[in-house]
Amino acid sequence: MRVTIHQPEHLPWLGLLSKVAASELWIVLDSVAYRKNYFQNRNRVLANGSPTWLTVPVNAPFGTPIRDVRVGDVPSWRRRYRGRLTQAVSGLRGADRIEPLASVIDSADPGSSLADLNLDIADWMLSQFDVKVPTVRSSQLDATGAKGELIVNLCRAVGADEYLAGPSGRDYLDLDAFAEHGIAVRFFDYEHPAYDQGGDPFVPCLSAVDAWSRLSPSELPPLLSTYRLSAA
């Protein structure tokens, strides 16, 4: 079984959706510490030709595991978020299909789980790209360790025989530890495709909502196939 392991990003980008689609199981890495000012509570869309952040306020003291991060009690944040999201898709193909996503955001009450919110969004986005891959949270598995050791133990916990690693894994993974347990490692390099954004230059690495809002449903799945796999 081919496994990938990744944190639950907010409004994930095409590269994460592609990596999940290329796997047979996504281990959602929610047992590690929340990273401030990263992509766990925010991501970018294109509004009026400029990258614009959509951000969920959170309560997350230093060292809080992602599974324990809660949505903050900030007045009107959902209204502002919905306004920017609506602005980003205004006049595009996705404008009349955005309500299910906006409704997920509307349901994020103060004190609710950020990880739950992100996975609800990821499930919806994956379905829009015709991807169905099961998930399990790392916090539900009996696996300990840090960094590369944790990755090996998570793979072992689900009986994986192949691990699909991101390009940064080349810098820290102990490949001998994987081989010792009969787990092959392959590195995943996503080659971001360009599509019509209505102007130049093309802005890559936005939330996949950008592509979804501009293209027809049949044009979306091919965007996830532009990757290379290389052996360790």
Side-chain angles (χ1 to χ4, degrees):
M1 176 174 62
R2 177 187 286 176
V3 166
T4 194
I5 301 173
H6 205 286
Q7 297 172 11
E9 289 186 356
H10 187 69
L11 289 177
W13 74 300
L14 289 171
L16 175 55
L17 300 186
S18 178
K19 192 161 173 267
V20 172
S23 305
E24 295 172 289
L25 177 68
W26 175 17
I27 299 179
V28 180
L29 191 60
D30 69 342
S31 55
V32 298
Y34 171 79
R35 184 175 174 182
K36 185 179 180 181
N37 296 329
Y38 197 54
F39 291 98
Q40 291 160 10
N41 73 316
R42 63 179 190 165
N43 216 318
R44 301 180 308 155
V45 294
L46 206 59
N48 295 329
S50 299
T52 300
W53 288 103
L54 297 178
T55 303
V56 179
V58 297
N59 291 321
F62 181 77
T64 302
I66 295 172
R67 65 173 180 268
D68 295 330
V69 174
R70 301 296 163 186
V71 175
D73 187 6
V74 176
S76 302
W77 78 265
R78 286 175 290 189
R79 178 177 58 81
R80 290 193 297 270
Y81 189 115
R82 177 187 271 269
R84 289 182 178 181
L85 178 61
T86 301
Q87 180 186 17
V89 303
S90 177
L92 303 178
R93 292 181 180 182
D96 60 352
R97 297 183 280 116
I98 198 65
E99 188 57 33
L101 175 58
S103 295
V104 174
I105 298 300
D106 288 343
S107 69
D109 294 325
S112 60
S113 166
L114 176 67
D116 287 352
L117 171 63
N118 287 355
L119 287 179
D120 286 345
I121 291 172
D123 286 345
W124 178 82
M125 292 182 70
L126 286 165
S127 72
Q128 302 304 298
F129 285 77
D130 198 25
V131 175
K132 297 180 181 179
V133 174
T135 63
V136 62
R137 302 189 190 202
S138 62
S139 58
Q140 298 172 322
L141 300 173
D142 184 17
T144 58
K147 295 187 178 180
E149 181 186 10
L150 176 60
I151 299 300
V152 172
N153 289 337
L154 287 170
C155 288
R156 293 178 61 198
V158 298
D161 56 22
E162 184 176 0
Y163 173 56
L164 198 58
S168 64
R170 295 182 175 93
D171 300 327
Y172 71 89
L173 291 178
D174 182 353
L175 299 180
D176 290 338
F178 284 89
E180 180 182 344
H181 296 287
I183 303 170
V185 176
R186 302 186 76 184
F187 292 103
F188 180 94
D189 291 284
Y190 185 66
E191 299 176 354
H192 203 299
Y195 51 86
D196 185 7
Q197 290 179 326
D200 291 315
F202 178 77
V203 182
C205 302
L206 301 168
S207 165
V209 168
D210 184 70
W212 170 86
S213 67
R214 298 174 188 278
L215 304 179
S216 67
S218 64
E219 293 176 296
L220 296 177
L223 299 181
L224 306 187
S225 63
T226 58
Y227 62 83
R228 294 178 290 105
L229 295 181
S230 57

